[in-house]
């Protein structure tokens, strides 16, 4: 079973790596309005988060994983043949992908909670390692294949859909992953929040950080296009550097997390100031390449630390996972839409290029301030 799940996360991230790193960038180069870019930038977090809380009563998360994987394959085909090139359909189809992706993510999180009991950092890091390898290879392939010819992206969408369909076949015979099947412990979301002050405090801090973190998400593709004149190959190189660094550091960060959780939670957020600073101040794309070496630590911490806190500080883990993703998703939508609105507003006074720079610098300061709060949870 574990080998099947390792191959699943490898193949799933291979398919996602072909397309996901480019969706906001493609929105910018295909004339999706700023608000649409904000929605695309936060779609997987917000729409993927709001769909998860109602799923906490699901008994057979393996069935959710199978069905959601199949639906994702269908939606990427729709993106290839119908939505790409039409700004409105592009946004709507990606929102649907984000919703189904949320179902898929919830099922995977529950399965990982079961498999990581007793050694959170090591087990989660191992599975994240396999996922990073798949994503790393795929992103490089897309960037080299596409370059500046964005019409070719349709073929990448089709390839991603076919890989996800193969993955559906891979897990279709997957049986229960719960080593101790029992009636689920379920509480109302409000009761969980009222009775677990430590978890509630963490969710509030994490939501606040999600707002300031996602504020820059619609600004990054604008910076890539209008400040640095990047193409898809350069976007791919950025993601490959980030992914390679993650592969190298994932397991070490997992071990460090098992020894000092609070330190990893703080640094995993604080070091994220590097990215808005680099895009705001970089004279060329090579500075962005260098900055993304740090992503190995921040990505590894994001893969391990925060969901582990939820696992270990909740009795009703399904409701807690749903709340975690709901709060985080709402935060990212607020931040992303605020960023896209303000860049439209400020650009009318100082121009698009300067507005992107100023807002990125402000976001770096906000990230630094809010990250300190993780030391208090």
């Amino acid at each position: 079973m574990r080998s099947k799940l390792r191959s699943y996360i490898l193949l799933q991230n291979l398919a996602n790596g072909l397309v996901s790193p480019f969706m906001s960038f493609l929105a910018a180069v295909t004339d999706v309005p700023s608000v649409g870019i904000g929605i695309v930038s936060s779609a997987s977090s917000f729409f993927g988060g709001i769909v998860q809380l109602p799923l906490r009563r699901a008994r057979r998360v393996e069935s959710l994983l199978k069905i959601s994987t199949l639906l994702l394959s269908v939606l990427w085909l729709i993106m290839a043949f119908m939505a790409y090139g039409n700004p409105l359909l592009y946004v709507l189809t990606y929102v649907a992908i984000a919703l189904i992706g949320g179902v898929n993510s919830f099922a995977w999180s529950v399965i990982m909670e079961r498999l990581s009991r007793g050694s959170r950092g090591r087990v989660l890091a191992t599975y994240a390692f396999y996922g990073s390898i798949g994503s790393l290879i795929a992103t490089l392939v897309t960037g080299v294949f596409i370059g500046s010819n964005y019409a070719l992206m349709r073929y990448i969408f089709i390839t991603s859909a076919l890989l996800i369909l193969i993955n559906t076949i891979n897990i279709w015979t997957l049986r229960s992953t719960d080593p101790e099947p029992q009636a689920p412990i379920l509480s109302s979301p409000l009761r969980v929040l009222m009775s677990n002050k430590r978890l509630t405090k963490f969710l509030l801090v994490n939501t606040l950080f999600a707002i300031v973190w996602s504020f820059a998400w619609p600004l990054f593709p604008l910076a890539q296009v209008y400040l640095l004149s990047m193409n898809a190959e350069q976007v791919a190189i950025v993601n490959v550097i980030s992914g390679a660094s993650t592969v190298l550091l994932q397991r070490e960060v997992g071990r460090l997390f098992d020894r000092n959780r609070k330190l990893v939670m703080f640094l995993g957020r604080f070091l994220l100031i590097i990215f808005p600073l680099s895009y705001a101040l970089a004279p060329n794309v090579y500075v962005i390449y260098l900055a993304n070496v740090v992503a190995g630590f921040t990505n590894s911490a994001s893969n391990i630390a925060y969901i582990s806190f939820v696992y270990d500080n909740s009795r009703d883990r399904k409701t807690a996972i749903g709340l975690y993703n709901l709060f985080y998703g709402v935060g990212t939508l607020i931040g992303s839409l605020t960023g896209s609105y303000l860049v439209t507003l400020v650009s009318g006074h100082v121009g698009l290029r300067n507005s992107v720079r100023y807002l990125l610098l402000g976001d770096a300061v906000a990230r630094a301030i809010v990250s300190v709060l993780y030391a208090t949870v």
Side-chain angles (χ1 to χ4, degrees), residues 46-87:
F46 175 69
F47 296 102
I50 62 172
V51 77
Q52 294 191 19
L53 194 58
L55 297 174
R56 72 189 194 282
R57 297 186 181 277
R59 293 286 191 94
R60 295 285 298 176
V61 294
E62 295 79 12
S63 296
L64 287 180
L65 191 72
K66 297 171 189 177
I67 295 169
S68 61
T69 306
L70 177 61
L71 289 175
L72 284 172
S73 177
V74 173
L75 286 168
W76 282 116
L77 286 175
I78 292 173
M79 179 66 80
F81 291 109
M82 296 176 60
Y84 188 53
N86 182 311

Side-chain angles (χ1 to χ4, degrees), residues 14 24 67 71 84 117 172 213 223 231 261 264 305 309 315 339:
L14 180 63
S24 296
I67 295 169
L71 289 175
Y84 188 53
R117 292 171 188 170
W172 203 254
W213 188 14
N231 59 27
R261 300 190 168 200
V264 172
F309 186 95
R315 185 164 176 261

Side-chain angles (χ1 to χ4, degrees), residues 234-271:
Q234 291 169 323
V235 173
I237 293 172
V238 168
N239 283 277
V240 166
I241 293 171
S242 171
S245 178
T246 303
V247 168
L248 292 173
L249 292 178
Q250 189 83 70
R251 294 183 179 182
E252 290 303 317
V253 173
R255 294 188 186 100
L256 177 61
F257 177 73
D258 285 335
R259 295 195 303 270
N260 193 331
R261 300 190 168 200
K262 188 169 289 189
L263 177 64
V264 172
M265 290 177 69
F266 166 67
L267 288 178
R269 295 310 198 200
F270 180 78
L271 291 176

Side-chain angles (χ1 to χ4, degrees), residues 64-132:
L64 287 180
L65 191 72
K66 297 171 189 177
I67 295 169
S68 61
T69 306
L70 177 61
L71 289 175
L72 284 172
S73 177
V74 173
L75 286 168
W76 282 116
L77 286 175
I78 292 173
M79 179 66 80
F81 291 109
M82 296 176 60
Y84 188 53
N86 182 311
L88 178 59
L89 283 178
Y90 182 89
V91 173
L92 292 177
T93 303
Y94 194 63
V95 166
I97 289 170
L99 284 166
I100 301 302
V103 177
N104 187 268
S105 176
F106 176 82
W108 182 256
S109 295
V110 173
I111 290 171
M112 284 297 100
E113 189 282 322
R114 294 169 179 174
L115 296 182
S116 65
R117 292 171 188 170
S119 187
R120 297 288 191 211
R122 181 181 61 81
V123 174
L124 294 178
T126 297
Y127 280 89
F129 172 80
Y130 282 97
S132 297

Side-chain angles (χ1 to χ4, degrees), residues 87-262:
L88 178 59
L89 283 178
Y90 182 89
V91 173
L92 292 177
T93 303
Y94 194 63
V95 166
I97 289 170
L99 284 166
I100 301 302
V103 177
N104 187 268
S105 176
F106 176 82
W108 182 256
S109 295
V110 173
I111 290 171
M112 284 297 100
E113 189 282 322
R114 294 169 179 174
L115 296 182
S116 65
R117 292 171 188 170
S119 187
R120 297 288 191 211
R122 181 181 61 81
V123 174
L124 294 178
T126 297
Y127 280 89
F129 172 80
Y130 282 97
S132 297
I133 292 175
S135 180
L136 181 64
I137 296 170
T139 301
L140 181 60
V141 169
T142 297
V144 172
F145 180 70
I146 297 299
S148 298
N149 188 355
Y150 305 119
L152 295 175
M153 196 65 197
R154 294 183 189 277
Y155 300 104
I156 298 296
F157 291 141
I158 294 170
T159 303
S160 181
L162 293 177
L163 287 172
I164 296 173
L165 181 59
I166 292 170
N167 222 9
T168 306
I169 298 170
N170 169 48
I171 61 163
W172 203 254
T173 58
L174 183 68
R175 298 181 179 180
S176 176
T177 54
D178 195 343
E180 300 174 0
Q182 55 187 354
I185 301 169
L186 290 176
S187 305
S188 72
L190 182 59
R191 178 173 294 181
V192 170
L193 293 174
M194 295 291 290
S195 63
N196 192 336
K197 292 183 179 180
R198 191 178 189 195
L199 178 64
T200 301
K201 183 177 182 180
F202 168 76
L203 292 177
L204 292 175
V205 169
N206 203 56
T207 302
L208 182 58
F209 189 84
I211 293 172
V212 300
W213 188 14
S214 62
F215 180 88
W217 291 356
L219 304 178
F220 288 142
L222 293 174
Q224 290 168 343
V225 174
Y226 297 105
L227 297 186
L228 296 166
S229 301
M230 293 170 62
N231 59 27
E233 184 176 357
Q234 291 169 323
V235 173
I237 293 172
V238 168
N239 283 277
V240 166
I241 293 171
S242 171
S245 178
T246 303
V247 168
L248 292 173
L249 292 178
Q250 189 83 70
R251 294 183 179 182
E252 290 303 317
V253 173
R255 294 188 186 100
L256 177 61
F257 177 73
D258 285 335
R259 295 195 303 270
N260 193 331
R261 300 190 168 200
K262 188 169 289 189

